[in-house]
Amino acid sequence: MPRRVTRTTLRSMTHLPPPAEELRLLDAELRQLDARRSQLLTRRAWLVAVLQQTQQQSRPWASAQPPVTASPRPETAAPSVQNVLLVLGGVLLTLAAAVFTLVSWGQMGITGRALVLGAVTLATLAAPVALLKRGLRSTAESVAGLGLALTVLDAYALHAAALSGTDGTGYAAAASAVLAAIWSAYGLLPVTKTLRLPLPSALAAAQFPLLLWALAADASPYTITAALLVTAGLDAVAVARLTAGAVRITAVVGAYGMGGWGVLGAGWLSLTAGGPGEASRAGVLLLLAAATALGAAWRGPGVSHALGLAVTAGLLVVGASGGVARSGLPSEWVVPAHLAAGVALLAVVRAGRLPVAMRTGFAWASGAVQALAVLWTLPVVAVVLLGPAGWLGRVWRGAPADARTAVLVEAPWPADAVVAPVVLVSVAAVLALAVPVGVWRPRARLGAVGLLWATALILPAVLEIPYAAGLLVLGVMTAAALFACRVTASAEQVTALVLALVTAVCLTLVSLASQSATLVVLSGLTVLFAAASWRAGVAPFTAPAALVYAAALASASGAAAEWPAARTALLVLLVPAAAALLAARPGSSRVTVPVEAVGAALALFAVALAVTDPPMLALVLALCGVIAAGTALRAERRPVGYGATALFVLAAWVRLAAWDVGTPEAYTLPVTVPALLVGALRRRRDPQASSWTAYGPGLAATLLPSLAAAWADPHWTRPLLLGVAALLVTLLGARYHLGAPLVLGGSVLALVTLHELAPYVVQVTGALPRWAPPALAGLLLLALGATYEQRIRDVRRVREALGRMD
């Protein structure tokens, strides 16, 4: 390329460094900018301070001015202060009027009393008109409240002075009605209709006339409850016709309060009814409450609790009809009667003319009744499911007479349980047929299946069928559930699997009453769960269950043959062996881990069975080691080989203990030899492996226990053999430059030598004078001090030499 072209090209090019270099340059530039900015800000602050100081020196009067302080912020607003003062004033005036009426009333004549009370009350009630014209609304509200309180005092004064002979409760009823009318008229006048206190007060006073009249007339509880419910109904009408505000809130509170007390009273009367007549009257009261709630949910504008009111109405209807039926039916049919009324509510739900909220409320009410009915059957289901567990302490005591006796081992039979299947079937039918198509329909069908299963579970005990027939029913239920696992999927499969497992457990517990029944049931369950394991979806659950039942069958067979438990362990070991073979099938599967886990647990169970017989325990441990060694042959289960080695060692130890062998080397050498062989193989595969990892555990397993035994052995044979072995290990470590044999062998050799020479050392020490040992120690210390540096170098060389060893 010509020189001219190269210069032109280079002159027009832009140098772009690599991204990392460019980022470093940008960070450096930013740091410089930050430093420069800090310097400039510091200089600016200094200049501002200098200028301020110069200005103050040029205007000395500026510093003499007092500092400007902010005005304190008021803690309360003016309207709040005004309201507090007005309320406090009204309360004080009301108290003064009450004191005047109660204390000073008797000091005046009838005319004077009437004139004073009338004048004060009229003046107080007229004062808000003038105050409203002047725009003093809060003051008018306070004065109006005082006037309303004065009317109550007027009513009391009238009864005390002129009508003291009348009944107090009846007079209170009439007075509350009159006051409600007066306050309503006062709040509806054109000149006072803007006041917010009279109408809510009138509505509050209107809550008491009917109740007080009923109490004054010494009416029955039914009449008193009716008065409460009628008052609640009138409040509901007021709620429907009034707009939002204090009056409507007061009506809502009154409706819920009086209605709640009325419903509680009617419910109590229905529960304690002594015959159809009383139950019918209580039912009418409940229907009245239901009609009130239904009307409030339907007609009330802006009612936000329509759903809750509809649910309440539905429950009240069920309570009314069920209470009437309870008075004329046997006790066991009370719950089905309530359930029938609850199911009948679904006919109302189907009516398309009702609002959606009401239909939904009735549906929820029906569902609540059905749920309560199902809860009533739970004690029966619990007895049938958990009662057979009592056979665990009474195995093979003899077959009971019927299915009910088979479940009533320790628990009592619930009362009125004969109609429990009727309740369960009825609710299952509703779930299967009445739930509309949608999200809830599949769930409802699953619930129906569960209820039908519960029905079939308790039916043999309820009907008291023969014991063998009850077992057959449970077996058919288990088989049907397992078959459903094969033909269904998703949630249905999970439901069927759970039902199969629960039924199988119940069947097993019931079969414990008879030996033949136990063997037959365990055999059948083993086959059923093994057959169901061919379905991949449920195999992780059914295959372990099949193994468990197979182990239970092996244990039961050994017990039936009157074998000792240790001998029965050999039969149980067949199941872990089968589990190992099943898990060894080619290809990974979700069944492998559960099967192996259950197999390991059953192997431990076999060991527990043989623990009382040491020779048999040694055999069982050895067989477990064989199973573990076979499992370790698989590439992904190599670590199981350590467990197999431990099992073989334990088997050898147990065998030696059974032979009353007390020599430690007999226990340690079976560990040392395999450990050293494994270490040698590892060193051959991985020459970089440390000798402490390869040979340390094996050598320590024999040398250390033998050393402890040699120190306590009064004879010379073991120390001599141990010393020779330690010498050989030390020589091998020095020959092949291995740290573990050299250190362990040398240490053991030194300690054995010390142990053997100890008597002579003691003898020589006793022959020396008492000053000789301290003198020798002092000479040793002097020698060490004189050659300290050389000794340090020697120690470092020894440490480095040991560190270079493998």
Side-chain angles (χ1 to χ4, degrees):
M1 182 179 292
R3 185 180 181 88
R4 183 179 67 256
V5 176
T6 303
R7 289 178 178 177
T8 304
T9 305
L10 293 175
R11 193 177 297 114
S12 62
M13 290 177 62
T14 300
H15 175 66
L16 296 176
E21 180 66 20
E22 185 176 0
L23 180 61
R24 187 185 65 79
L25 294 175
L26 289 176
D27 290 340
E29 292 291 338
L30 289 174
R31 285 194 295 270
Q32 293 178 2
L33 290 175
D34 291 338
R36 183 59 178 167
R37 186 174 184 275
S38 300
Q39 294 175 359
L40 294 176
L41 289 175
T42 304
R43 181 65 178 174
R44 181 183 181 279
W46 181 80
L47 292 174
V48 170
V50 170
L51 289 176
Q52 291 179 352
Q53 184 177 5
T54 304
Q55 291 176 0
Q56 289 180 359
Q57 291 176 357
S58 61
R59 295 184 298 173
W61 64 84
S63 60
Q65 295 180 354
V68 179
T69 58
S71 59
R73 181 180 179 181
E75 296 182 359
T76 56
S80 300
V81 175
Q82 174 188 350
N83 293 333
V84 171
L85 293 177
L86 291 175
V87 171
L88 182 59
V91 171
L92 293 177
L93 289 174
T94 303
L95 292 176
V99 171
F100 170 77
T101 304
L102 297 175
V103 178
S104 302
W105 182 255
Q107 300 177 3
M108 301 179 64
I110 297 177
T111 305
R113 300 170 188 174
L115 290 176
V116 170
L117 282 177
V120 172
T121 303
L122 292 176
T124 305
L125 293 176
V129 178
L131 293 173
L132 289 174
K133 290 181 180 180
R134 292 176 177 267
L136 302 175
R137 180 182 179 84
S138 299
T139 307
E141 291 284 355
S142 299
V143 175
L146 176 59
L148 298 180
L150 287 175
T151 57
V152 178
L153 293 175
D154 290 340
Y156 169 76
L158 180 61
H159 179 266
L163 302 175
S164 58
T166 59
D167 180 59
T169 307
Y171 179 79
S176 60
V178 172
L179 289 177
I182 293 174
W183 292 349
S184 299
Y186 182 71
L188 294 175
L189 291 175
V191 292
T192 57
K193 64 181 180 180
T194 56
L195 295 174
R196 292 175 295 182
L197 190 58
L199 291 180
S201 301
L203 193 56
Q207 306 300 314
F208 302 102
L210 291 179
L211 177 60
L212 293 176
W213 273 328
L215 293 175
D218 197 13
S220 64
Y222 297 94
T223 305
I224 296 174
T225 305
L228 291 172
L229 294 175
V230 170
T231 304
L234 295 176
D235 290 331
V237 173
V239 172
R241 293 185 175 276
L242 295 173
T243 57
V247 184
R248 191 170 187 274
I249 293 174
T250 306
V252 170
V253 172
Y256 278 108
M258 304 300 283
W261 283 109
V263 168
L264 290 176
W268 176 255
L269 292 174
S270 178
L271 290 175
T272 58
E278 295 180 356
S280 300
R281 283 183 286 175
V284 171
L285 294 175
L286 290 174
L287 291 177
L288 176 61
T292 302
L294 192 60
W298 195 353
R299 297 295 184 183
V303 176
S304 58
H305 304 289
L307 179 61
L309 291 172
V311 172
T312 304
L315 293 177
L316 291 174
V317 170
V318 173
S321 57
V324 174
R326 182 176 59 251
S327 62
L329 291 176
S331 59
E332 62 267 16
W333 291 99
V334 172
V335 173
H338 284 81
L339 177 61
V343 174
L345 287 178
L346 295 177
V348 181
V349 176
R350 296 290 183 179
R353 297 181 180 181
L354 295 177
V356 177
M358 293 183 60
R359 285 184 289 167
T360 306
F362 281 142
W364 279 103
S366 177
V369 173
Q370 296 177 56
L372 291 174
V374 172
L375 287 177
W376 177 78
T377 64
L378 285 184
V380 184
V381 180
V383 167
V384 174
L385 278 177
L386 305 178
W391 289 110
L392 292 173
R394 307 178 183 181
V395 178
W396 297 350
R397 294 290 181 87
D402 51 56
R404 181 180 296 184
T405 308
V407 300
L408 296 180
V409 183
E410 296 179 354
W413 184 247
D416 302 333
V418 66
V419 297
V422 177
V423 173
L424 293 174
V425 171
S426 300
V427 177
V430 172
L431 290 177
L433 303 175
V435 177
V437 178
V439 179
W440 288 96
R441 188 168 183 81
R443 304 175 186 176
R445 289 185 173 179
L446 288 179
V449 171
L451 293 176
L452 291 176
W453 169 82
T455 304
L457 183 69
I458 67 174
L459 198 58
V462 171
L463 299 179
E464 298 183 84
I465 65 176
Y467 173 69
L471 292 177
L472 181 61
V473 170
L474 293 176
V476 172
M477 290 174 60
T478 305
L482 290 175
F483 179 76
C485 292
R486 295 179 56 85
V487 299
T488 57
S490 186
E492 293 82 358
Q493 188 181 72
V494 174
T495 303
L497 177 62
V498 172
L499 297 181
L501 293 174
V502 174
T503 310
V505 172
C506 183
L507 175 60
T508 303
L509 294 175
V510 174
S511 68
L512 294 178
S514 171
Q515 176 179 320
S516 58
T518 303
L519 296 176
V520 172
V521 166
L522 291 178
S523 301
L525 291 177
T526 302
V527 173
L528 286 176
F529 279 95
S533 300
W534 293 105
R535 175 76 174 182
V538 296
F541 304 95
T542 55
L547 294 176
V548 171
Y549 285 114
L553 177 61
S555 301
S557 300
E562 297 182 355
W563 287 2
R567 189 175 179 184
T568 305
L570 297 177
L571 281 178
V572 176
L573 274 182
L574 295 176
V575 180
L581 294 176
L582 180 63
R585 293 184 306 172
S588 60
S589 173
R590 293 188 303 152
V591 187
T592 303
V593 175
V595 166
E596 289 178 341
V598 172
L602 294 177
L604 291 177
F605 175 66
V607 171
L609 289 177
V611 74
T612 57
D613 188 351
M616 188 62 68
L617 178 60
L619 178 59
V620 171
L621 289 173
L623 293 176
C624 290
V626 172
I627 297 173
T631 302
L633 294 177
R634 295 156 50 194
E636 69 276 9
R637 293 292 185 267
R638 297 298 187 200
V640 182
Y642 297 105
T645 303
L647 288 171
F648 285 131
V649 170
L650 287 176
W653 286 357
V654 172
R655 185 71 263 182
L656 291 173
W659 285 338
D660 296 330
V661 176
T663 304
E665 289 76 13
Y667 294 90
T668 58
L669 287 177
V671 178
T672 298
V673 173
L676 293 178
L677 291 176
V678 172
L681 292 176
R682 180 172 182 180
R683 289 273 298 178
R684 178 175 296 180
R685 294 180 180 179
D686 183 13
Q688 301 298 325
S690 174
S691 63
W692 289 99
T693 305
Y695 304 118
L699 293 174
T702 293
L703 293 178
L704 297 182
S706 297
L707 178 63
W711 274 67
D713 193 350
H715 303 286
W716 60 270
T717 307
R718 178 177 283 110
L720 178 61
L721 295 177
L722 179 60
V724 172
L727 178 60
L728 292 176
V729 170
T730 304
L731 294 177
L732 289 175
R735 170 66 180 81
Y736 294 102
H737 301 280
L738 299 176
L742 181 61
V743 174
L744 289 175
S747 300
V748 172
L749 180 61
L751 292 174
V752 171
T753 304
L754 178 62
H755 175 265
E756 294 301 313
L757 296 178
Y760 302 102
V761 173
V762 171
Q763 183 179 1
V764 172
T765 304
L768 292 176
R770 292 183 180 274
W771 55 266
L776 293 175
L779 291 175
L780 179 62
L781 291 176
L782 289 176
L784 289 175
T787 57
Y788 181 73
E789 185 176 0
Q790 181 63 33
R791 297 294 180 271
I792 292 177
R793 286 198 297 266
D794 294 342
V795 171
R796 287 177 179 174
R797 283 197 297 270
V798 172
R799 186 178 62 185
E800 292 173 358
L802 290 176
R804 287 192 297 271
M805 291 183 179
D806 295 333

